[in-house]
């Protein structure tokens, strides 16, 4: 529903949820809509109500289903899981979402499906659940069904571990990231520890562990700035710390690309251009600056022959080292030609909901993303059918 006015839809869903308090699917729809409108706390409250009714939620396919996809998910906001509801909107893929709790075992039986997609994103809270899923899917299948995105590989996407995997990949720049406690930052703030002994020279980049969308993220230039930062988050005990890489272009602007790798092939989801180093698409001023939208449109139109070709070796190395069927990258281009990687995550928000009057040029690019994603799922389902046929042939007596 690109550019849709969500207010009437929200009113309709709220009315439906009030009239049908035991309709878990209606509650989940309302929860998603509340989050899209920026009401995170209310969204999570409604989600808890829905999950108390049922852990299983279905979204029908548009027309005859091409396949039945079962997504294993965890409770949380839009950044807790791969955003399949947004990627499969109006798709011919039937989506069933099964919510698993971090402190509960993996179910021994599953709803009927053709492919299982582990949509649970990496976080400290989800690591125990990912470990259980790793053991349950050691052969790449669950209850005889192919699994997309191995839990063991998702678990490797913490910022510190991802930097270990990618920092020396050909054509890649990803500064070492350390998980540190408050005491270490306090030593930096007091001048008792040199930055080079922690993560690199000033400036440093610090953020609370498991934070997203720039929450608590700051560039720290001095011990005094670190003291002020610690005062601003008195209850936070664990942080990620890395060195800052200046990725400004020759015109003084910063550019951040969101790319997804689908079966190893890169697809561009957006390009945000900003005068500030901490870029998020919603705060980059893309709606206000026509020139920035023109640049994004050109980047999308030329992506395969431009960005993807320039960084083919780096993207291939990332694909091989992360070993995931689907993963997102937030990244930038450096003047020396390397690809600066900020983050790798399977739960990055990917959608086609921008207003058409200003962002209509994004629709073809996003449809390519969704088509590639659909094709990957169909290929996995086909592999299951082929395995069944082979098994049946092998079991046929001479």
């Amino acid at each position: 529903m690109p550019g849709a006015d969500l207010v009437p839809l929200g009113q309709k869903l709220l009315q439906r949820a009030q009239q049908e308090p035991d309709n878990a699917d209606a509650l989940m729809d309302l929860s998603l809509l509340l989050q899209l409108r920026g009401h995170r706390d209310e969204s999570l409250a409604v989600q808890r109500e829905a999950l108390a009714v049922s852990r299983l939620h279905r979204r029908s396919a548009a027309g005859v289903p091409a396949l039945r996809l079962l997504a294993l998910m965890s409770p949380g906001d839009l950044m807790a899981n791969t955003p399949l509801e947004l990627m499969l909107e109006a798709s011919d893929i039937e989506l069933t979402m099964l919510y698993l709790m971090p402190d509960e075992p993996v179910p021994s039986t599953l709803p009927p499906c053709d492919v299982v997609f582990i949509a649970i994103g990496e976080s400290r809270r989800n690591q125990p659940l990912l470990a259980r899923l790793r053991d349950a899917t050691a052969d790449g299948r669950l209850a005889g069904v192919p699994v997309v995105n191995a839990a063991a590989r998702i678990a490797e996407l913490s910022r510190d571990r991802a930097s270990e995997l990618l920092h020396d990949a050909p054509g890649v720049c990803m500064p070492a990231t350390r998980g540190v406690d408050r005491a270490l930052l306090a030593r930096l703030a007091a001048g008792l520890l040199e930055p080079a002994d922690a993560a690199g020279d000033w400036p440093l980049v610090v953020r609370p562990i498991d934070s997203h969308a720039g929450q608590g993220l700051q560039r720290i230039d001095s011990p005094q700035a670190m003291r002020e930062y610690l005062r601003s988050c008195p209850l936070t005990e664990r942080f990620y710390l890395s060195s800052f890489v200046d990725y400004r272009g020759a015109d003084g602007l910063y550019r951040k690309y969101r790319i997804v790798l689908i079966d190893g092939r890169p697809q561009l989801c957006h390009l945000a251009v900003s005068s500030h180093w901490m870029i998020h698409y919603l705060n980059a001023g893309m709606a206000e600056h026509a020139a920035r939208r023109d640049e994004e449109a050109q980047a999308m139109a030329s992506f395969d022959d431009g960005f993807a070709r320039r960084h083919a070796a780096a993207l291939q190395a990332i694909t091989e080292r992360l070993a995931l069927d689907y993963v997102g990258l937030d990244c930038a281009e450096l003047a020396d030609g390397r690809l600066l990687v900020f983050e790798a995550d399977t739960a990055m928000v990917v959608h086609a909901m921008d207003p058409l009057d200003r962002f209509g040029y994004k629709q073809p690019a996003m449809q390519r993303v969704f088509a590639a994603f659909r094709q990957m799922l169909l290929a996995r389902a086909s592999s299951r059918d082929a395995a069944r046929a082979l098994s049946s042939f092998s079991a046929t007596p001479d």
Side-chain angles (χ1 to χ4, degrees):
M1 49 182 178
D5 181 359
L6 299 180
V7 174
L9 179 58
Q11 293 171 341
K12 180 179 178 181
L13 289 175
L14 179 59
Q15 182 180 26
R16 181 184 172 201
Q18 291 171 337
Q19 293 173 345
E20 306 174 49
D22 293 331
N23 187 330
D25 289 340
L27 290 169
M28 288 299 287
D29 287 343
L30 178 59
S31 173
L32 176 61
L33 188 73
L34 286 169
Q35 186 142 173
L36 291 173
R37 288 184 55 80
H39 304 297
R40 182 179 183 275
D41 292 342
E42 295 91 333
S43 166
L44 294 179
V46 172
Q47 185 187 87
R48 286 192 292 270
E49 292 182 39
L51 295 179
V53 176
S54 175
R55 302 276 184 83
L56 200 64
H57 301 275
R58 286 190 174 88
R59 292 182 180 272
S60 299
V64 178
L67 64 77
R68 299 164 300 172
L69 177 65
L70 175 65
L72 303 184
M73 308 182 80
S74 65
D77 59 21
L78 268 177
M79 291 173 284
N81 302 284
T82 306
L84 297 173
E85 310 100 304
L86 303 181
M87 298 177 66
L88 296 176
E89 183 185 9
S91 169
D92 61 354
I93 292 176
E94 180 182 280
L95 173 62
T96 299
M97 295 170 283
L98 176 60
Y99 282 80
L100 307 179
M101 300 301 168
D103 56 349
E104 295 181 1
V106 177
S108 57
T109 59
L110 299 176
C113 61
D114 303 303
V115 177
V116 173
F117 190 103
I118 300 182
I120 299 164
E122 189 284 325
S123 68
R124 283 185 299 170
R125 179 173 181 267
N126 285 337
Q127 281 288 354
L129 178 54
L130 289 170
R132 288 194 292 277
L133 282 169
R134 175 200 63 204
D135 296 338
T137 59
D139 65 348
R141 306 174 75 81
L142 188 60
V145 179
V147 172
V148 175
N149 269 8
R153 304 309 304 178
I154 296 172
E156 297 271 76
L157 294 181
S158 63
R159 293 178 186 272
D160 50 351
R161 178 58 181 150
S163 73
E164 291 177 8
L165 289 171
L166 300 180
H167 77 280
D168 62 348
V172 171
C173 172
M174 189 172 189
T177 299
R178 290 182 58 188
V180 301
D181 58 20
R182 189 179 187 89
L184 184 142
L185 297 188
R187 292 177 64 201
L188 281 169
L192 300 176
L193 181 69
E194 292 297 321
D197 296 325
D201 294 329
W202 304 110
L204 302 175
V205 175
V206 62
R207 68 190 307 153
I209 286 181
D210 284 346
S211 66
H212 293 281
Q215 296 177 350
L217 173 64
Q218 284 195 29
R219 183 175 66 184
I220 306 296
D221 300 298
S222 66
Q224 172 63 28
M226 185 66 79
R227 290 194 292 272
E228 294 173 0
Y229 177 77
L230 291 175
R231 281 196 292 267
S232 72
C233 51
L235 301 180
T236 305
E237 292 297 329
R238 295 287 298 172
F239 303 84
Y240 281 128
L241 188 67
S242 64
S243 58
F244 174 75
V245 177
D246 191 344
Y247 62 102
R248 277 177 296 185
D251 58 359
L253 296 177
Y254 297 90
R255 291 164 174 83
K256 187 175 78 171
Y257 296 78
R258 175 157 294 179
I259 291 166
V260 289
L261 296 171
I262 302 175
D263 262 351
R265 181 166 182 177
Q267 305 280 347
L268 179 60
C269 299
H270 69 229
L271 164 61
V273 184
S274 175
S275 59
H276 195 276
W277 68 271
M278 186 171 61
I279 305 179
H280 299 284
Y281 199 82
L282 293 178
N283 71 11
M286 298 296 291
E288 293 77 24
H289 294 272
R292 297 181 187 182
R293 297 196 301 276
D294 290 343
E295 182 176 344
E296 182 181 34
Q298 176 58 31
M300 288 180 158
S302 63
F303 181 74
D304 288 344
D305 293 327
F307 187 101
R309 180 168 293 180
R310 289 195 298 275
H311 301 289
L315 293 169
Q316 179 62 31
I318 291 170
T319 297
E320 293 171 357
R321 295 189 182 202
L322 296 185
L324 283 158
D325 307 290
Y326 171 87
V327 66
L329 302 175
D330 277 347
C331 55
E333 294 185 279
L334 295 178
D336 63 9
R338 289 181 298 164
L339 186 69
L340 173 62
V341 177
F342 302 112
E343 180 182 9
D345 193 354
T346 59
M348 290 181 178
V349 176
V350 174
H351 67 86
M353 297 181 61
D354 296 285
L356 293 177
D357 58 342
R358 294 188 180 183
F359 297 95
Y361 60 86
K362 295 180 69 172
Q363 289 298 307
M366 295 313 301
Q367 293 311 311
R368 286 194 294 272
V369 172
F370 301 152
F373 189 76
R374 176 183 180 275
Q375 185 57 44
M376 175 188 69
L377 297 176
L378 290 173
R380 296 302 183 278
S382 297
S383 70
R384 180 194 189 196
D385 293 341
R388 281 178 168 175
L390 181 61
S391 175
S392 175
F393 176 80
S394 300
T396 302
D398 293 335

